[in-house]
PDB file of all heavy atoms in Angstrom:
ATOM      1  N   PRO B 564      13.045 -33.481   3.497  1.00  0.00           N
ATOM      2  CA  PRO B 564      13.118 -34.215   4.732  1.00  0.00           C
ATOM      3  C   PRO B 564      12.012 -35.190   4.842  1.00  0.00           C
ATOM      4  O   PRO B 564      10.893 -34.999   4.339  1.00  0.00           O
ATOM      5  CB  PRO B 564      13.000 -33.206   5.772  1.00  0.00           C
ATOM      6  CG  PRO B 564      12.100 -32.209   5.136  1.00  0.00           C
ATOM      7  CD  PRO B 564      12.386 -32.216   3.637  1.00  0.00           C
ATOM      8  N   PRO B 565      12.271 -36.404   5.462  1.00  0.00           N
ATOM      9  CA  PRO B 565      11.191 -37.419   5.582  1.00  0.00           C
ATOM     10  C   PRO B 565      10.172 -36.998   6.645  1.00  0.00           C
ATOM     11  O   PRO B 565       9.046 -37.459   6.645  1.00  0.00           O
ATOM     12  CB  PRO B 565      11.914 -38.654   6.005  1.00  0.00           C
ATOM     13  CG  PRO B 565      13.263 -38.230   6.561  1.00  0.00           C
ATOM     14  CD  PRO B 565      13.605 -36.900   5.891  1.00  0.00           C
ATOM     15  N   TYR B 566      10.568 -36.035   7.510  1.00  0.00           N
ATOM     16  CA  TYR B 566       9.694 -35.636   8.589  1.00  0.00           C
ATOM     17  C   TYR B 566       9.354 -34.110   8.478  1.00  0.00           C
ATOM     18  O   TYR B 566      10.168 -33.388   8.068  1.00  0.00           O
ATOM     19  CB  TYR B 566      10.320 -35.870   9.938  1.00  0.00           C
ATOM     20  CG  TYR B 566      10.796 -37.274  10.138  1.00  0.00           C
ATOM     21  CD1 TYR B 566      12.122 -37.666   9.898  1.00  0.00           C
ATOM     22  CD2 TYR B 566       9.856 -38.313  10.488  1.00  0.00           C
ATOM     23  CE1 TYR B 566      12.532 -38.972  10.141  1.00  0.00           C
ATOM     24  CE2 TYR B 566      10.307 -39.601  10.607  1.00  0.00           C
ATOM     25  CZ  TYR B 566      11.565 -39.931  10.486  1.00  0.00           C
ATOM     26  OH  TYR B 566      12.040 -41.197  10.629  1.00  0.00           O
ATOM     27  N   LEU B 567       8.196 -33.751   9.040  1.00  0.00           N
ATOM     28  CA  LEU B 567       7.814 -32.413   8.975  1.00  0.00           C
ATOM     29  C   LEU B 567       7.136 -32.070  10.371  1.00  0.00           C
ATOM     30  O   LEU B 567       6.214 -32.796  10.843  1.00  0.00           O
ATOM     31  CB  LEU B 567       6.796 -32.225   7.879  1.00  0.00           C
ATOM     32  CG  LEU B 567       6.646 -30.892   7.107  1.00  0.00           C
ATOM     33  CD1 LEU B 567       8.095 -30.544   6.555  1.00  0.00           C
ATOM     34  CD2 LEU B 567       5.722 -31.095   5.927  1.00  0.00           C
ATOM     35  N   LEU B 568       7.581 -30.973  10.961  1.00  0.00           N
ATOM     36  CA  LEU B 568       6.929 -30.536  12.185  1.00  0.00           C
ATOM     37  C   LEU B 568       6.268 -29.232  11.898  1.00  0.00           C
ATOM     38  O   LEU B 568       6.969 -28.323  11.304  1.00  0.00           O
ATOM     39  CB  LEU B 568       7.995 -30.291  13.349  1.00  0.00           C
ATOM     40  CG  LEU B 568       8.882 -31.514  13.697  1.00  0.00           C
ATOM     41  CD1 LEU B 568       9.853 -31.072  14.772  1.00  0.00           C
ATOM     42  CD2 LEU B 568       8.006 -32.625  14.229  1.00  0.00           C
ATOM     43  N   MET B 569       5.060 -29.014  12.280  1.00  0.00           N
ATOM     44  CA  MET B 569       4.335 -27.697  11.990  1.00  0.00           C
ATOM     45  C   MET B 569       3.652 -27.205  13.196  1.00  0.00           C
ATOM     46  O   MET B 569       2.807 -27.893  13.746  1.00  0.00           O
ATOM     47  CB  MET B 569       3.285 -28.013  10.807  1.00  0.00           C
ATOM     48  CG  MET B 569       3.918 -28.751   9.676  1.00  0.00           C
ATOM     49  SD  MET B 569       2.727 -29.140   8.407  1.00  0.00           S
ATOM     50  CE  MET B 569       2.710 -27.604   7.449  1.00  0.00           C
ATOM     51  N   ASP B 570       4.027 -26.055  13.620  1.00  0.00           N
ATOM     52  CA  ASP B 570       3.412 -25.485  14.815  1.00  0.00           C
ATOM     53  C   ASP B 570       2.425 -24.383  14.502  1.00  0.00           C
ATOM     54  O   ASP B 570       2.768 -23.310  14.037  1.00  0.00           O
ATOM     55  CB  ASP B 570       4.538 -24.864  15.729  1.00  0.00           C
ATOM     56  CG  ASP B 570       3.978 -24.575  17.166  1.00  0.00           C
ATOM     57  OD1 ASP B 570       2.831 -24.751  17.424  1.00  0.00           O
ATOM     58  OD2 ASP B 570       4.877 -24.259  18.029  1.00  0.00           O
ATOM     59  N   GLU B 571       1.153 -24.718  14.616  1.00  0.00           N
ATOM     60  CA  GLU B 571       0.010 -23.809  14.213  1.00  0.00           C
ATOM     61  C   GLU B 571       0.312 -23.057  12.916  1.00  0.00           C
ATOM     62  O   GLU B 571       0.242 -21.938  12.846  1.00  0.00           O
ATOM     63  CB  GLU B 571      -0.121 -22.831  15.350  1.00  0.00           C
ATOM     64  CG  GLU B 571      -0.152 -23.406  16.712  1.00  0.00           C
ATOM     65  CD  GLU B 571      -1.104 -22.823  17.707  1.00  0.00           C
ATOM     66  OE1 GLU B 571      -1.858 -21.913  17.268  1.00  0.00           O
ATOM     67  OE2 GLU B 571      -1.158 -23.180  18.870  1.00  0.00           O
ATOM     68  N   PRO B 572       0.510 -23.863  11.845  1.00  0.00           N
ATOM     69  CA  PRO B 572       0.963 -23.327  10.624  1.00  0.00           C
ATOM     70  C   PRO B 572      -0.117 -22.430   9.939  1.00  0.00           C
ATOM     71  O   PRO B 572       0.214 -21.575   9.120  1.00  0.00           O
ATOM     72  CB  PRO B 572       1.301 -24.528   9.693  1.00  0.00           C
ATOM     73  CG  PRO B 572       0.531 -25.632  10.265  1.00  0.00           C
ATOM     74  CD  PRO B 572       0.413 -25.348  11.736  1.00  0.00           C
ATOM     75  N   PHE B 573      -1.392 -22.654  10.262  1.00  0.00           N
ATOM     76  CA  PHE B 573      -2.445 -21.967   9.552  1.00  0.00           C
ATOM     77  C   PHE B 573      -3.251 -21.039  10.433  1.00  0.00           C
ATOM     78  O   PHE B 573      -4.291 -20.541  10.073  1.00  0.00           O
ATOM     79  CB  PHE B 573      -3.408 -22.999   8.936  1.00  0.00           C
ATOM     80  CG  PHE B 573      -2.703 -24.059   8.111  1.00  0.00           C
ATOM     81  CD1 PHE B 573      -2.942 -25.370   8.341  1.00  0.00           C
ATOM     82  CD2 PHE B 573      -1.840 -23.666   7.101  1.00  0.00           C
ATOM     83  CE1 PHE B 573      -2.296 -26.377   7.598  1.00  0.00           C
ATOM     84  CE2 PHE B 573      -1.199 -24.586   6.340  1.00  0.00           C
ATOM     85  CZ  PHE B 573      -1.379 -26.022   6.651  1.00  0.00           C
ATOM     86  N   SER B 574      -2.801 -20.721  11.551  1.00  0.00           N
ATOM     87  CA  SER B 574      -3.652 -19.964  12.564  1.00  0.00           C
ATOM     88  C   SER B 574      -3.465 -18.499  12.490  1.00  0.00           C
ATOM     89  O   SER B 574      -4.291 -17.726  12.944  1.00  0.00           O
ATOM     90  CB  SER B 574      -3.325 -20.493  13.969  1.00  0.00           C
ATOM     91  OG  SER B 574      -2.012 -20.241  14.319  1.00  0.00           O
ATOM     92  N   ALA B 575      -2.462 -18.025  11.710  1.00  0.00           N
ATOM     93  CA  ALA B 575      -2.323 -16.595  11.648  1.00  0.00           C
ATOM     94  C   ALA B 575      -2.980 -16.009  10.393  1.00  0.00           C
ATOM     95  O   ALA B 575      -2.869 -14.775  10.060  1.00  0.00           O
ATOM     96  CB  ALA B 575      -0.793 -16.219  11.566  1.00  0.00           C
ATOM     97  N   VAL B 576      -3.779 -16.742   9.711  1.00  0.00           N
ATOM     98  CA  VAL B 576      -4.483 -16.157   8.522  1.00  0.00           C
ATOM     99  C   VAL B 576      -5.983 -16.213   8.728  1.00  0.00           C
ATOM    100  O   VAL B 576      -6.484 -16.966   9.607  1.00  0.00           O
ATOM    101  CB  VAL B 576      -4.127 -16.950   7.250  1.00  0.00           C
ATOM    102  CG1 VAL B 576      -2.601 -16.734   6.928  1.00  0.00           C
ATOM    103  CG2 VAL B 576      -4.339 -18.420   7.401  1.00  0.00           C
ATOM    104  N   ASP B 577      -6.732 -15.483   7.898  1.00  0.00           N
ATOM    105  CA  ASP B 577      -8.190 -15.470   8.103  1.00  0.00           C
ATOM    106  C   ASP B 577      -8.825 -16.798   7.703  1.00  0.00           C
ATOM    107  O   ASP B 577      -8.252 -17.579   7.019  1.00  0.00           O
ATOM    108  CB  ASP B 577      -8.809 -14.270   7.321  1.00  0.00           C
ATOM    109  CG  ASP B 577      -8.701 -14.475   5.772  1.00  0.00           C
ATOM    110  OD1 ASP B 577      -9.381 -15.415   5.267  1.00  0.00           O
ATOM    111  OD2 ASP B 577      -7.977 -13.770   5.099  1.00  0.00           O
ATOM    112  N   PRO B 578     -10.081 -16.962   8.197  1.00  0.00           N
ATOM    113  CA  PRO B 578     -10.694 -18.334   8.038  1.00  0.00           C
ATOM    114  C   PRO B 578     -10.813 -18.828   6.586  1.00  0.00           C
ATOM    115  O   PRO B 578     -10.631 -19.991   6.304  1.00  0.00           O
ATOM    116  CB  PRO B 578     -12.113 -18.117   8.580  1.00  0.00           C
ATOM    117  CG  PRO B 578     -11.930 -16.961   9.470  1.00  0.00           C
ATOM    118  CD  PRO B 578     -10.846 -16.097   8.988  1.00  0.00           C
ATOM    119  N   VAL B 579     -11.073 -17.889   5.639  1.00  0.00           N
ATOM    120  CA  VAL B 579     -11.149 -18.309   4.239  1.00  0.00           C
ATOM    121  C   VAL B 579      -9.783 -18.836   3.752  1.00  0.00           C
ATOM    122  O   VAL B 579      -9.784 -19.944   3.206  1.00  0.00           O
ATOM    123  CB  VAL B 579     -11.679 -17.119   3.361  1.00  0.00           C
ATOM    124  CG1 VAL B 579     -11.743 -17.636   1.948  1.00  0.00           C
ATOM    125  CG2 VAL B 579     -13.001 -16.632   3.896  1.00  0.00           C
ATOM    126  N   VAL B 580      -8.826 -18.083   3.964  1.00  0.00           N
ATOM    127  CA  VAL B 580      -7.441 -18.489   3.502  1.00  0.00           C
ATOM    128  C   VAL B 580      -7.037 -19.705   4.249  1.00  0.00           C
ATOM    129  O   VAL B 580      -6.430 -20.682   3.680  1.00  0.00           O
ATOM    130  CB  VAL B 580      -6.450 -17.417   3.763  1.00  0.00           C
ATOM    131  CG1 VAL B 580      -5.030 -17.822   3.367  1.00  0.00           C
ATOM    132  CG2 VAL B 580      -6.797 -16.185   2.943  1.00  0.00           C
ATOM    133  N   ARG B 581      -7.417 -19.821   5.573  1.00  0.00           N
ATOM    134  CA  ARG B 581      -7.065 -20.965   6.306  1.00  0.00           C
ATOM    135  C   ARG B 581      -7.606 -22.230   5.687  1.00  0.00           C
ATOM    136  O   ARG B 581      -6.924 -23.296   5.503  1.00  0.00           O
ATOM    137  CB  ARG B 581      -7.455 -20.800   7.791  1.00  0.00           C
ATOM    138  CG  ARG B 581      -7.040 -22.010   8.652  1.00  0.00           C
ATOM    139  CD  ARG B 581      -7.554 -21.791  10.140  1.00  0.00           C
ATOM    140  NE  ARG B 581      -7.388 -20.470  10.501  1.00  0.00           N
ATOM    141  CZ  ARG B 581      -8.233 -19.812  11.346  1.00  0.00           C
ATOM    142  NH1 ARG B 581      -9.210 -20.447  11.758  1.00  0.00           N
ATOM    143  NH2 ARG B 581      -8.015 -18.577  11.673  1.00  0.00           N
ATOM    144  N   ALA B 582      -8.948 -22.222   5.421  1.00  0.00           N
ATOM    145  CA  ALA B 582      -9.584 -23.376   4.859  1.00  0.00           C
ATOM    146  C   ALA B 582      -8.917 -23.824   3.548  1.00  0.00           C
ATOM    147  O   ALA B 582      -8.663 -25.019   3.256  1.00  0.00           O
ATOM    148  CB  ALA B 582     -11.074 -23.123   4.562  1.00  0.00           C
ATOM    149  N   GLN B 583      -8.562 -22.798   2.740  1.00  0.00           N
ATOM    150  CA  GLN B 583      -7.903 -23.007   1.462  1.00  0.00           C
ATOM    151  C   GLN B 583      -6.462 -23.617   1.688  1.00  0.00           C
ATOM    152  O   GLN B 583      -6.151 -24.659   1.022  1.00  0.00           O
ATOM    153  CB  GLN B 583      -7.704 -21.654   0.820  1.00  0.00           C
ATOM    154  CG  GLN B 583      -7.474 -21.717  -0.679  1.00  0.00           C
ATOM    155  CD  GLN B 583      -7.276 -20.228  -1.106  1.00  0.00           C
ATOM    156  OE1 GLN B 583      -7.680 -19.234  -0.426  1.00  0.00           O
ATOM    157  NE2 GLN B 583      -6.596 -20.006  -2.299  1.00  0.00           N
ATOM    158  N   LEU B 584      -5.695 -23.146   2.635  1.00  0.00           N
ATOM    159  CA  LEU B 584      -4.396 -23.667   2.901  1.00  0.00           C
ATOM    160  C   LEU B 584      -4.498 -25.067   3.403  1.00  0.00           C
ATOM    161  O   LEU B 584      -3.729 -25.975   3.020  1.00  0.00           O
ATOM    162  CB  LEU B 584      -3.619 -22.828   3.939  1.00  0.00           C
ATOM    163  CG  LEU B 584      -3.144 -21.430   3.506  1.00  0.00           C
ATOM    164  CD1 LEU B 584      -2.558 -20.717   4.620  1.00  0.00           C
ATOM    165  CD2 LEU B 584      -2.104 -21.617   2.370  1.00  0.00           C
ATOM    166  N   GLN B 585      -5.492 -25.348   4.176  1.00  0.00           N
ATOM    167  CA  GLN B 585      -5.711 -26.732   4.744  1.00  0.00           C
ATOM    168  C   GLN B 585      -5.950 -27.718   3.571  1.00  0.00           C
ATOM    169  O   GLN B 585      -5.396 -28.805   3.566  1.00  0.00           O
ATOM    170  CB  GLN B 585      -6.881 -26.766   5.744  1.00  0.00           C
ATOM    171  CG  GLN B 585      -6.560 -26.081   7.090  1.00  0.00           C
ATOM    172  CD  GLN B 585      -7.851 -25.801   7.938  1.00  0.00           C
ATOM    173  OE1 GLN B 585      -8.943 -25.930   7.402  1.00  0.00           O
ATOM    174  NE2 GLN B 585      -7.594 -25.544   9.164  1.00  0.00           N
ATOM    175  N   GLU B 586      -6.912 -27.299   2.709  1.00  0.00           N
ATOM    176  CA  GLU B 586      -7.173 -28.159   1.599  1.00  0.00           C
ATOM    177  C   GLU B 586      -5.904 -28.468   0.726  1.00  0.00           C
ATOM    178  O   GLU B 586      -5.631 -29.607   0.440  1.00  0.00           O
ATOM    179  CB  GLU B 586      -8.217 -27.521   0.621  1.00  0.00           C
ATOM    180  CG  GLU B 586      -9.603 -27.388   1.180  1.00  0.00           C
ATOM    181  CD  GLU B 586     -10.274 -28.729   1.460  1.00  0.00           C
ATOM    182  OE1 GLU B 586      -9.768 -29.794   0.844  1.00  0.00           O
ATOM    183  OE2 GLU B 586     -11.028 -28.926   2.340  1.00  0.00           O
ATOM    184  N   GLU B 587      -5.172 -27.492   0.458  1.00  0.00           N
ATOM    185  CA  GLU B 587      -3.964 -27.616  -0.347  1.00  0.00           C
ATOM    186  C   GLU B 587      -2.960 -28.403   0.353  1.00  0.00           C
ATOM    187  O   GLU B 587      -2.254 -29.190  -0.236  1.00  0.00           O
ATOM    188  CB  GLU B 587      -3.362 -26.210  -0.614  1.00  0.00           C
ATOM    189  CG  GLU B 587      -4.167 -25.430  -1.589  1.00  0.00           C
ATOM    190  CD  GLU B 587      -3.602 -24.039  -1.841  1.00  0.00           C
ATOM    191  OE1 GLU B 587      -2.471 -23.762  -1.367  1.00  0.00           O
ATOM    192  OE2 GLU B 587      -4.308 -23.225  -2.506  1.00  0.00           O
ATOM    193  N   PHE B 588      -2.850 -28.231   1.752  1.00  0.00           N
ATOM    194  CA  PHE B 588      -1.953 -29.024   2.548  1.00  0.00           C
ATOM    195  C   PHE B 588      -2.258 -30.581   2.417  1.00  0.00           C
ATOM    196  O   PHE B 588      -1.425 -31.373   2.286  1.00  0.00           O
ATOM    197  CB  PHE B 588      -2.003 -28.551   3.979  1.00  0.00           C
ATOM    198  CG  PHE B 588      -1.247 -29.464   4.918  1.00  0.00           C
ATOM    199  CD1 PHE B 588       0.087 -29.587   4.825  1.00  0.00           C
ATOM    200  CD2 PHE B 588      -1.990 -30.103   5.901  1.00  0.00           C
ATOM    201  CE1 PHE B 588       0.816 -30.329   5.723  1.00  0.00           C
ATOM    202  CE2 PHE B 588      -1.291 -30.918   6.802  1.00  0.00           C
ATOM    203  CZ  PHE B 588       0.118 -31.053   6.703  1.00  0.00           C
ATOM    204  N   LEU B 589      -3.537 -30.797   2.470  1.00  0.00           N
ATOM    205  CA  LEU B 589      -3.992 -32.270   2.383  1.00  0.00           C
ATOM    206  C   LEU B 589      -3.657 -32.791   1.040  1.00  0.00           C
ATOM    207  O   LEU B 589      -3.208 -33.923   0.849  1.00  0.00           O
ATOM    208  CB  LEU B 589      -5.503 -32.393   2.655  1.00  0.00           C
ATOM    209  CG  LEU B 589      -5.868 -32.243   4.116  1.00  0.00           C
ATOM    210  CD1 LEU B 589      -7.439 -32.347   4.261  1.00  0.00           C
ATOM    211  CD2 LEU B 589      -5.224 -33.350   4.959  1.00  0.00           C
TER     212      LEU B 589
END
Side-chain angles (χ1 to χ4, degrees):
Chain B
Y566 306 99
L567 215 52
L568 304 178
M569 310 177 84
D570 195 351
E571 313 218 5
F573 310 125
S574 58
V576 292
D577 69 66
V579 177
V580 176
R581 186 181 316 146
Q583 199 183 340
L584 288 175
Q585 289 168 342
E586 289 299 332
E587 287 174 12
F588 170 65
L589 286 175

